[in-house]
Amino acid sequence: MPHTTSIPVGGATKPETIEAMAGNWSDFQFAPIRESQVSRAMTRRYFADLDKYTESDIVIVGAGSCGLSSAYVLGKARPDLKIAIIEAGVAPGGGAWLGGQLFSAMVMRKPADAFLREIGVPYEDEGPESSFVVVKHAALFTSTVLSKVLQFPNVKLFNATAVEDLITRKDGKGGIRIAGVVTNWTLVSMHHDDQSCMDPNTINAPVIISTTGHDGPFGAFSAKRLVSMNALSALGGMRGLDMNTAEDAIVKGTREIVPGLIIGGMELSEVDGANRMGPTFGAMALSGVKAAEEALKVFEERRAECAPAGAKLMA
C-alpha cells in the first residue's frame, strides 16, 4: 500500500510514487544537482537551528530512553517552548536499541505500558497476572519515540554533540543555579588531550534535564560536574542490581537537584546511590515523564531568574 501520510513542505512539484517507478528503471534518472546545493541545504538549516536554539527554554542532555520520553512529553505539552536535545552519540537512543546482552526484546514493567500505548508501540502481555509487557524489538520503541519527538516543530536534536560543562550563576544564597550548557562536537571533545585548545560553544536555558546515564565516558556528566564544583558533596554511587527497588527509586527520585538542573534516569542512580535495574526499561520512560513534569513546575520561576537585567534576548 502506498504511504500517503508524508506531504512535501512548500513543494511545488507533483510528488512521484514508488508504484509509478516500478519496472521503469532503464530510463530512471535523478533530478540534476550541483554539489554545492547539497552543502548549502544542510549547513543553512543547521546553523539557522544553532542560532535559534542558542537561547532555548529547556535543554535535555542525553537522547536515551529517558531523555526522549521527557522530550516527547514536553514537546506535546508545551509547543510554545524551544526544546534542544544534546546527544553525544551519532545515533540517539542510548542503550535502548537492544534489550539486555544484545537480546532484541524490550521488557517494560507495568504500569509503564501506559507510555507504550501513548506513543503507539505494540507489545505482548501475558495476562493480568503478569507484571511486565514485552516489545518485540527495543528498536521499535526507540525509533517510534524518536520519530515522534523529531516531528515536533519546537524540538531540535543536536547529535554528535557533547556537553562539556554547565553554565552557572550565583543564586544569592551561597549556592549556584544552572543557566545553560557548554557544548562541543563530540569528536572535538574526545581529542582535547592530543590537540591544541579547541574552545566550545554555549546554549543558555533556564532549565536543564540531564539524562546521561550511569558513569562512563560521557555518563553521569552533570552529576559528576556538580561534585567538582562543590554543588554536591559527593556522589552516592550506583549500587548492585535490584530491579524491585531500582525502578521505583529512579522514578520517585527524579527531581531538580540544584536550581535549574533536573536529573533523571540512570544518572540519578549515581547521585542517590540507587540500585541498577538492568534490562528493564519502564523506569527510564516514566522517569522521563516525571522529569518533564518537574521541568514545567519550575520553568516560569527559573526563566524569571535567568532573564538578564536590562538586556533584550533575540528570539
Side-chain angles (χ1 to χ4, degrees), residues 11 42 70-71 73 106 129 132-133 135 139 150 169 177 179 182 198 215 229 248 278 285 293 302 311:
M42 293 186 296
S70 187
V73 173
M106 171 179 274
E129 301 302 317
F132 61 90
V133 301
V135 179
L150 293 181
R169 301 281 190 268
R177 58 181 174 82
V182 179
M198 294 173 282
D215 198 4
M229 64 175 68
D248 292 350
E293 292 180 358
R302 299 292 172 252

Side-chain angles (χ1 to χ4, degrees), residues 34-244:
R34 186 170 177 81
E35 289 78 4
S36 60
Q37 291 177 283
V38 176
S39 293
R40 284 173 171 164
M42 293 186 296
T43 57
R44 182 186 301 123
R45 288 164 175 80
Y46 184 88
F47 286 106
D49 284 335
L50 197 61
D51 179 76
K52 177 180 178 180
Y53 285 89
T54 295
E55 280 286 347
S56 291
D57 293 307
I58 297 176
V59 171
I60 298 172
V61 187
S65 48
C66 181
L68 290 174
S69 299
S70 187
Y72 172 82
V73 173
L74 288 168
K76 180 180 178 182
R78 292 292 301 269
D80 57 312
L81 300 182
K82 288 190 291 184
I83 302 164
I85 308 172
I86 312 298
E87 166 56 41
V90 172
W97 288 110
L98 287 167
Q101 199 170 317
L102 303 183
F103 303 142
S104 56
M106 171 179 274
V107 174
M108 276 203 177
R109 288 171 64 195
K110 296 176 180 177
D113 52 325
F115 190 75
L116 298 176
R117 292 190 295 275
E118 167 69 23
I119 62 175
V121 172
Y123 56 83
E124 299 173 30
D125 188 342
E126 297 180 3
E129 301 302 317
S130 176
S131 61
F132 61 90
V133 301
V134 182
V135 179
K136 69 177 182 178
H137 202 298
L140 177 59
F141 167 80
T142 306
S143 60
T144 300
V145 67
L146 179 61
S147 68
K148 290 185 178 294
V149 165
L150 293 181
Q151 288 180 62
F152 288 123
N154 60 323
V155 177
K156 171 62 183 178
L157 168 67
F158 295 96
N159 51 323
T161 304
V163 171
E164 292 191 338
D165 207 346
L166 301 172
I167 299 174
T168 64
R169 301 281 190 268
K170 294 181 179 179
D171 68 358
K173 301 176 183 178
I176 63 166
R177 58 181 174 82
I178 307 303
V181 295
V182 179
T183 64
N184 216 325
W185 283 313
T186 301
L187 290 176
V188 173
S189 292
M190 294 171 65
H191 287 278
H192 282 316
D193 291 339
D194 55 49
Q195 295 291 330
S196 60
C197 180
M198 294 173 282
D199 281 330
N201 205 351
T202 57
I203 298 176
N204 279 109
V207 176
I208 310 299
I209 299 175
S210 191
T211 64
T212 65
H214 54 72
D215 198 4
F218 294 100
F221 172 81
S222 298
K224 290 185 287 188
R225 190 68 182 96
L226 289 181
V227 173
S228 65
M229 64 175 68
N230 297 319
L232 284 179
S233 58
L235 294 183
M238 184 173 63
R239 302 295 197 264
L241 193 150
D242 183 345
M243 290 182 181
N244 286 304

